Amino acid sequence: MTAEDFRTIWLKPDDPAIVQIIDQRRLPHEYTVHDLRTWQDAATAIADMYVRGAPLIGATAAWGLYLAALEDADPANVQAAAKSLLRSRPTAVNLRWAVERILRIVATPGPDLVQRIRDDAQAICDEDVEISRGIGEHGVALLEEISKRKRGGTVNVLTHCNAGSLATINYGTATAPIYFAQRRGIDVHVWVDETRPRNQGSQLTAWELAASGVPHTLVVDNAGGHLMQHDMVDIVITGTDRTTRCGDVANKIGTYLKALAAHDNDLPFYVALPSTTIDWDSRDGIAEIPIEERDPEEVSHIYGTHDGKPIRVCTTSNNTPVSNYAFDVTPARLVTGLITERGICSASEQGLLGLFPERRGP
Amino acid sequence: MTAEDFRTIWLKPDDPAIVQIIDQRRLPHEYTVHDLRTWQDAATAIADMYVRGAPLIGATAAWGLYLAALEDADPANVQAAAKSLLRSRPTAVNLRWAVERILRIVATPGPDLVQRIRDDAQAICDEDVEISRGIGEHGVALLEEISKRKRGGTVNVLTHCNAGSLATINYGTATAPIYFAQRRGIDVHVWVDETRPRNQGSQLTAWELAASGVPHTLVVDNAGGHLMQHDMVDIVITGTDRTTRCGDVANKIGTYLKALAAHDNDLPFYVALPSTTIDWDSRDGIAEIPIEERDPEEVSHIYGTHDGKPIRVCTTSNNTPVSNYAFDVTPARLVTGLITERGICSASEQGLLGLFPERRGP
């Protein structure tokens, strides 16, 4: 996954009428490359979660519009496809952003619409890789410093959920510093939180670290505190879905508990983020960020394999009431720093405005 | 489960040659009463985890020796059975304690050995119920106080793992205050942590609370911090496997993370324990208590039902490295108080010695 040319979505080298993705639904049990031949294929891939992760969803929609234009370059056709694609995952912010970006190209008169859309879909992917690269280059300094302090000993990183290559185009966000460390020959090992209820850690992060040859160990979400008490963790790095202007961080449920444990054990807790996920209009994450409640069946049922065949089992009584909050908010006071594509800053308004001065008020 | 005469092990009322237990392996999917007719049946029930929880394992061994005496009251026969029973779960402290207690009766000359063993097995159970009752009566005061402060509003308790009736003879330890609150008409609701990797919360605690009609909601282990941040938890009560002289608490992995979250949100965090689990010879739990590492398959594989049939599935790649620490230690500074059969005290040497003055040094 860390190779320069390895991506989660790409144009088929010998057939530019086909866009290819990894069917992430089958991970970690099976690695399947899936062909998108029509914009409808792209819509299905988004809606049925062949692809997930905000940047990758956006890129898939952009490539979907390229496939629509390839079929029929009439702007009305591309616009109709855009309308349908927007419905494939209605709450995904990057989906809307990418579709609107392509629609601006459609609205601009000029020759060869297909080529122009193709170039912009490619640019969306390339820009996302650049953001991840920036996060990786800035974040790797943290791991280098720990490696030096430990005289080349293993740097143990703990991460929660999947803020990895599979959620982006390449490198990921939380994983980017790890992949960059591996390249520089730093001895890095990752504790992978299982991440109940959807198990993105055991299903996706463990898979992509294995694919890249990064040493790692899966643990249940309950284990992180014990590992930190016993000097088995040097740094925690997670991703985030939304960061407030003051540095509060909304991320996968359970992130807050790991931040508390890091704080209690005097360990650094960093959050990696593309600046596009900063919500400059909100300040107090706990009070202001609404937390999605998802289907209770994500908790009561689980996918796995039995005799090599995928199967879904129920792990509770049928009548057990379940609640399923998807995210929690880690207050800025527990966050050692934010790793962005522009550099690392403190989790505070002052820190963020230092890197993004254009966001200062009038 | 809360009825005075409901227990996890009992002599069959119309046939005192049979000891009955709940086959806990089938919970929550099936409630099955299992007959023990020989001491070998008792050994199997312990080894194959039909029963678990220290007090219940001890009681099952005691009743196993009663069955051995019933078959052949020759002391040599009972002693041979004792030797085998001790091997059924070699590390269980209560197993050895109960077996040695019955062997002292065997070694004491006197008439009707069978009746004397039967009386003592019954006494072991009755004494355990009394300990749970003591914990319940002292602990319920905490819930009553919260109920009064909330003017009769719902008292939300969060618990981790199963320190319930199913681990003891009745009432449990962490659950005893909850069952006593229910009896007194207090409006109580329990957040049940799933408790990965063995899911004792979703499989056992949720089941026994449902069986007793106590309102409850299952959540993943990651959710507790979010619930506490949003005033959805009033008090945390867990059990413990071992408590040091200074009040450090070793309990199921993940307990420490909940204690941190309670502390960060100014919420009371109590630990319920029979005084038999206090290790008066240890002080610093993190340094001194060895933490068991268990089979990685407990993490990578999970039991559930599919089309009503029990089935075990693998949830990870076959080659994912897994580590499986079973317990963690919550330092005394995070524990608001200890609920014992003698009363509630601070989690400190001073607090414990106040309740157990016989443990003061010379």
Side-chain angles (χ1 to χ4, degrees), chain A residues 158 193-194 219-230 254 256-258 260-261 264-265, chain B residues 158-162 191-200 219-225 228 236-241 249-263 269-271 291-292 323-331 334-335:
Chain A
L158 184 141
D193 270 3
E194 181 180 43
V219 287
V220 294
D221 302 303
N222 285 323
H226 172 74
L227 298 177
M228 294 186 212
Q229 281 178 330
H230 291 270
Y256 166 51
L257 296 173
K258 293 304 139 64
L260 284 169
D264 197 49
N265 291 281
Chain B
L158 183 140
T159 193
H160 191 68
C161 198
N162 179 260
W191 295 105
V192 178
D193 270 5
E194 181 180 44
T195 319
R196 290 284 294 146
R198 288 180 62 93
N199 293 15
Q200 292 93 335
V219 287
V220 293
D221 302 302
N222 284 323
M228 294 186 212
V236 182
I237 308 179
T238 75
T240 166
D241 287 77
V249 168
N251 190 43
K252 188 65 47 189
I253 190 88
T255 302
Y256 167 51
L257 296 173
K258 294 302 140 63
L260 285 168
H263 189 257
F269 180 92
Y270 281 88
V271 176
I291 300 296
E292 178 187 359
S323 115
N324 183 17
Y325 293 96
F327 304 94
D328 64 20
V329 172
T330 300
L334 300 174
V335 180

Side-chain angles (χ1 to χ4, degrees), chain B residues 8-346:
Chain B
T8 53
I9 187 165
W10 62 93
L11 210 51
K12 193 172 180 188
D14 53 358
D15 185 354
I18 295 176
V19 175
Q20 296 190 302
I21 57 169
I22 300 166
D23 182 355
Q24 298 193 21
R25 298 171 312 164
R26 295 166 180 261
L27 295 176
H29 308 294
E30 213 178 296
Y31 174 81
T32 318
V33 170
H34 180 73
D35 290 350
L36 308 178
R37 294 165 184 274
T38 65
W39 69 262
Q40 290 92 339
D41 287 348
T44 302
I46 294 168
D48 293 353
M49 297 183 74
Y50 292 59
V51 292
R52 21 73 60 198
L56 181 52
I57 287 172
T60 305
W63 281 114
L65 294 178
Y66 158 73
L67 293 171
L70 205 59
E71 188 183 66
D72 176 355
D74 181 347
N77 179 54
V78 181
Q79 281 152 354
K83 219 166 164 181
S84 289
L85 276 162
L86 279 177
R87 280 197 297 266
S88 58
R89 280 195 77 187
T91 58
V93 173
N94 281 51
L95 172 60
R96 175 164 295 278
W97 170 82
V99 166
E100 285 174 355
R101 177 165 161 170
I102 300 287
L103 285 182
R104 280 197 295 276
I105 288 178
V106 174
T108 310
D112 204 353
L113 182 62
V114 174
Q115 183 63 40
R116 282 188 294 135
I117 295 178
R118 173 176 164 171
D119 289 347
D120 205 49
Q122 190 61 55
I124 285 172
C125 293
D126 293 347
E127 288 164 21
D128 188 68
V129 173
E130 283 314 301
I131 286 172
S132 287
R133 192 194 309 277
I135 291 169
E137 279 170 359
H138 294 296
V140 72
L142 300 169
L143 306 187
E144 262 178 338
E145 201 180 297
I146 295 166
S147 173
K148 269 184 208 152
R149 202 182 64 225
K150 295 183 85 175
R151 298 166 194 271
T154 306
V155 178
N156 286 294
V157 183
L158 183 140
T159 193
H160 191 68
C161 198
N162 179 260
S165 302
L166 289 167
T168 62
I169 310 303
N170 199 357
Y171 307 124
T173 55
T175 53
I178 294 164
Y179 290 131
F180 278 66
Q182 184 196 29
R183 275 195 205 175
R184 297 198 189 171
I186 293 170
D187 179 4
V188 63
H189 165 264
V190 182
W191 295 105
V192 178
D193 270 5
E194 181 180 44
T195 319
R196 290 284 294 146
R198 288 180 62 93
N199 293 15
Q200 292 93 335
S202 59
Q203 309 246 326
L204 301 177
T205 304
W207 181 85
E208 70 166 83
L209 292 174
S212 295
V214 176
H216 61 283
T217 307
L218 175 67
V219 287
V220 293
D221 302 302
N222 284 323
H226 172 74
L227 298 177
M228 294 186 212
Q229 281 178 330
H230 290 271
D231 294 327
M232 290 187 272
V233 176
D234 295 302
I235 185 170
V236 182
I237 308 179
T238 75
T240 166
D241 287 77
R242 201 198 287 198
T243 305
T244 71
R245 187 178 188 93
C246 299
D248 290 349
V249 168
N251 190 43
K252 188 65 47 189
I253 190 88
T255 302
Y256 167 51
L257 296 173
K258 294 302 140 63
L260 285 168
H263 189 257
D264 197 49
N265 291 282
D266 286 325
L267 291 170
F269 180 92
Y270 281 88
V271 176
L273 60 135
S275 61
T276 47
T277 60
I278 302 169
D279 179 352
W280 294 100
D281 296 326
S282 73
R283 295 183 160 272
D284 179 342
I286 295 174
E288 296 175 37
I289 298 178
I291 300 296
E292 178 187 359
E293 275 194 78
R294 295 177 55 87
D295 187 348
E297 287 208 355
E298 289 186 351
V299 176
S300 61
H301 290 68
I302 196 166
Y303 278 96
T305 54
H306 182 80
D307 286 342
K309 273 176 249 152
I311 195 167
R312 183 164 175 262
V313 298
C314 174
T315 61
T316 63
S317 285
N318 288 328
N319 52 1
T320 296
V322 175
S323 115
N324 183 17
Y325 293 96
F327 304 94
D328 64 20
V329 172
T330 300
R333 67 185 152 85
L334 300 174
V335 180
T336 312
L338 304 173
I339 312 172
T340 78
E341 71 272 22
R342 290 205 195 159
I344 298 177
C345 68
S346 69

Side-chain angles (χ1 to χ4, degrees), chain A residues 100-264:
Chain A
E100 286 174 354
R101 178 165 160 170
I102 300 288
L103 284 181
R104 280 196 296 276
I105 289 178
V106 174
T108 310
D112 203 353
L113 182 62
V114 174
Q115 184 63 41
R116 284 188 292 134
I117 294 179
R118 174 175 162 170
D119 289 347
D120 205 49
Q122 191 61 54
I124 285 173
C125 292
D126 293 347
E127 289 164 20
D128 188 68
V129 172
E130 282 315 302
I131 286 172
S132 287
R133 193 192 309 275
I135 291 170
E137 279 169 358
H138 294 296
V140 72
L142 300 170
L143 306 188
E144 262 178 338
E145 202 181 294
I146 295 167
S147 173
K148 270 183 208 154
R149 203 182 63 224
K150 295 183 87 174
R151 297 166 194 274
T154 306
V155 178
N156 286 295
V157 183
L158 184 141
T159 193
H160 190 69
C161 199
N162 178 261
S165 302
L166 289 168
T168 61
I169 309 304
N170 198 354
Y171 306 123
T173 55
T175 53
I178 294 164
Y179 291 130
F180 278 66
Q182 185 196 29
R183 275 195 204 174
R184 297 198 189 172
I186 294 171
D187 178 5
V188 64
H189 165 265
V190 183
W191 294 105
V192 178
D193 270 3
E194 181 180 43
T195 318
R196 291 283 294 145
R198 288 181 61 94
N199 294 13
Q200 292 94 335
S202 59
Q203 309 246 327
L204 302 177
T205 303
W207 181 85
E208 69 166 84
L209 292 174
S212 295
V214 176
H216 61 284
T217 307
L218 174 67
V219 287
V220 294
D221 302 303
N222 285 323
H226 172 74
L227 298 177
M228 294 186 212
Q229 281 178 330
H230 291 270
D231 294 327
M232 290 186 273
V233 176
D234 295 303
I235 186 171
V236 182
I237 309 179
T238 75
T240 166
D241 287 78
R242 201 198 289 197
T243 304
T244 71
R245 186 178 188 94
C246 299
D248 291 348
V249 168
N251 190 41
K252 187 67 45 183
I253 190 88
T255 302
Y256 166 51
L257 296 173
K258 293 304 139 64
L260 284 169
H263 189 260
D264 197 49

